[in-house]
Amino acid sequence: MNNLHKILELYCELQLDLSFNEPRITKIYPQNYGDDEVLKILGEFVFPCFRTNSPTKTEKTTNSPTSFSFVLTNINKQYKYGFCRQDVTSGNVTNAIVILTLHPWHDIFLKFLNVLSTLRKKVTDRQFDSYLNYINRKSLPDEHKMINFIFSDGNGIILQEFCFKRPLSIALPSIPENHNLNLFYNYIEPKTMIEIFAALLTERRIIFLSNNYDKLSSCVQASCSLLYPMYWQHIFIPLLPFKLKDYLLAPMPYCIGCPTSVFNLVRKEEIGDVVLINCDTNVITSPFNDISDLPQDILSFLKKNLTGSSCDLRGDRIPRVFLSALVQIIGGYRDAIKYTEKGLKFSNETFIESQLPLYKTFVQKIVELQVFQQFIEERLMLMQSNSETTDIFEIEVELHEAKMGKKMNQYKEFIKNIKGKANPAVKNAVKSVKDTCKEFKQKMRENSSREKDKFRPEKTYIRRLEPIESLQIYETKFSSTFMESPSTSSGSSSSDMNILQELEAQGILNSSSLTSSSKDSETVKECNLIDLSSDGSCDNIAKFNQLALNNDKTMNNSKTIEKDPFGSSELLSDVMSELYKANKNNWTTFE
């Protein structure tokens, strides 16, 4: 039976008289409620410790009502959320009203309990049943739309009014609006949150302890929500009644909120290795070191954004930080999806190989987890049905990819900005060399039909076995190297110096200014940039007198190294590369 379109699935009233052995159901709506298994076990969750003979603070005689939530799970792993309010009418009798629903709106239903409790005391049974019918007939609005309940007597006098806005399904929980996350933040320190997150990702057996039902259930549910967009796939009992205490001995992974009085009745050696979180003392004990399994940069990211003294964790800050961590780990899952004849298929191997080396070991463990496998199955089903996957996770993945793409383009943007700020001489040189390269390639195409042995140009040629890929200025102790070829080693090169001498002999390049005659003065004073003009002469040489070079005195022996902030070396490298590509005979010409 699917009651997602209804506000309530069940309204029930129970009574616990300590003189009896079992809680008794005193009222139920609808009366034809057909799930007998739920009715049998319901009293155990409403009064989870009545068999222990060691009542917790929640069960002690008090005039103040207490409210809390619990979760029932059926064989299809469908959750039914229970919300309970207990009122002690006498020393031995406790009355409780319970709401069961398929909607996990804790803040809304805990407030709704108070409204129904007040109405129950003001009107007759018949009038109250009419209110329940009114609630049951009310259809749910669309997300983020208001729904309003007005309860009035027969004379039109309004007794109670309750309205709320239907929550967004893709919204992250926030503080203080979300009841569970609010209590989780109040009682669990951020450092412990990270340890719990690591234990959940390792699928440990995890037990939360507390003497307060509301705190206990809220901390368990809030901690598992940190796995979003994945969902815990194993035993999940936010509030464990005494009758189900043997679940603590289960050998498979689980996440259980156990009242302290129930836990004290179980032999610890029978439980085995578990992760224990005491919500009353904020102490976590574990035989494992799950923190060490997290990639170091993910751990640093979590600590920086959660544990800093200046961190403001209000709003949706906590779940968003953990979501961002998971985006970095599993956000690239789409790259490992392959199209086959049988449909879409996810490749674990491709996903692992696509990871950074720092992540691979951890991701190898992640792909084996049931929470991850279930996540992939759900995404594949959505993609095969052409359904949109526009939840908050997918939005964060797109933002993360855009951010990484922006970083990849930072170098190009930097070069663009630098060239845009260059002086007019550099801009003119850029235009000149670009235009000349185009003219040069055109001339090479016109001459390509000539025979090689008859090729006798009237220009100066220099034979090069390798292209000149870069043209940079380096400082050495005795000389400055003007060119660096991949055929030579780094530093001062005799072949490069021979080329410089040959260029100088031909009257093409004046290299006298590239080096200083004195060993004590190693600073390059000026550099002549070759202007590849089309008139066949070498008279038009653009001279750069002492570019605005920055001095870096942090090198050894306090040497002064001048840098080229305008990228002129890079520009000359581009020119040489273009010349080489144009000349198929591996000749470099200077017009």
Side-chain angles (χ1 to χ4, degrees), residues 51-54 242 245 260-268:
R51 300 177 186 271
T52 63
N53 296 322
S54 177
F242 174 82
K245 66 182 185 303
T260 306
S261 57
V262 174
F263 183 76
N264 291 336
L265 299 176
V266 182
R267 297 179 62 182
K268 309 305 181 292

Side-chain angles (χ1 to χ4, degrees), residues 37-57:
E37 294 298 323
V38 170
L39 297 178
K40 289 180 181 179
I41 198 66
L42 188 59
E44 302 289 341
F45 284 89
V46 176
F47 305 102
C49 298
F50 77 94
R51 300 177 186 271
T52 63
N53 296 322
S54 177
T56 64
K57 293 179 181 180

Side-chain angles (χ1 to χ4, degrees), residues 60-66 85-90:
K60 291 182 179 179
T61 301
T62 177
N63 294 326
S64 301
T66 58
R85 174 187 165 113
Q86 292 182 356
D87 289 285
V88 178
T89 56
S90 66

Side-chain angles (χ1 to χ4, degrees), residues 345-364:
K345 182 180 179 181
F346 181 81
S347 173
N348 289 349
E349 294 76 13
T350 303
F351 183 63
I352 294 172
E353 289 301 320
S354 66
Q355 303 295 319
L356 296 173
L358 184 64
Y359 285 59
K360 282 190 176 181
T361 301
F362 184 71
V363 171
Q364 285 177 340

Side-chain angles (χ1 to χ4, degrees), residues 140-289:
L140 281 174
D142 295 333
E143 289 187 356
H144 217 54
K145 298 294 184 180
M146 295 295 299
I147 182 171
N148 191 21
F149 294 99
I150 299 176
F151 304 100
S152 59
D153 61 10
N155 299 322
I157 299 176
I158 297 177
L159 301 177
Q160 287 286 322
E161 186 174 2
F162 182 70
C163 62
F164 65 89
K165 185 179 293 185
R166 180 173 178 173
L168 293 172
S169 58
I170 66 171
L172 293 174
S174 60
I175 298 172
E177 292 81 10
N178 186 274
H179 178 81
N180 292 341
L181 185 62
N182 198 39
L183 290 184
F184 185 62
Y185 169 70
N186 286 333
Y187 295 105
I188 302 296
E189 292 182 354
K191 180 178 179 297
T192 308
M193 294 180 189
I194 299 175
E195 296 183 73
I196 294 172
F197 178 72
L200 289 169
L201 280 181
T202 322
E203 292 189 333
R204 299 297 186 190
R205 300 160 72 236
I206 306 172
I207 301 175
F208 289 77
L209 300 176
S210 179
N211 286 321
N212 184 288
Y213 299 157
D214 192 20
K215 180 196 305 183
L216 184 62
S217 179
S218 295
C219 288
V220 174
Q221 296 181 72
S223 63
C224 286
S225 70
L226 302 181
L227 290 175
Y228 177 81
M230 302 183 293
Y231 299 93
W232 184 256
Q233 297 295 314
H234 304 282
I235 297 174
F236 179 68
I237 310 177
L239 183 58
L240 182 74
F242 174 82
K243 194 173 183 177
L244 302 181
K245 66 182 185 303
D246 289 343
Y247 273 88
L248 298 175
L249 310 181
M252 67 281 295
Y254 58 65
C255 189
I256 295 176
C258 183
T260 306
S261 57
V262 174
F263 183 76
N264 291 336
L265 299 176
V266 182
R267 297 179 62 182
K268 309 305 181 292
E269 57 272 17
E270 294 181 354
I271 298 178
D273 291 337
V274 294
V275 178
L276 284 177
I277 302 102
N278 192 319
C279 301
D280 296 328
T281 61
N282 187 43
V283 174
I284 181 172
T285 57
S286 173
F288 316 103
N289 187 16

Side-chain angles (χ1 to χ4, degrees), residues 76 79 111 123 168 175 233 288 392 425 438 477 496 517:
N76 297 322
Y79 293 161
K111 295 176 182 177
V123 300
L168 293 172
I175 298 172
Q233 297 295 314
F288 316 103
I392 192 66
K438 293 180 180 179
K477 185 174 182 180
D496 283 342
S517 58

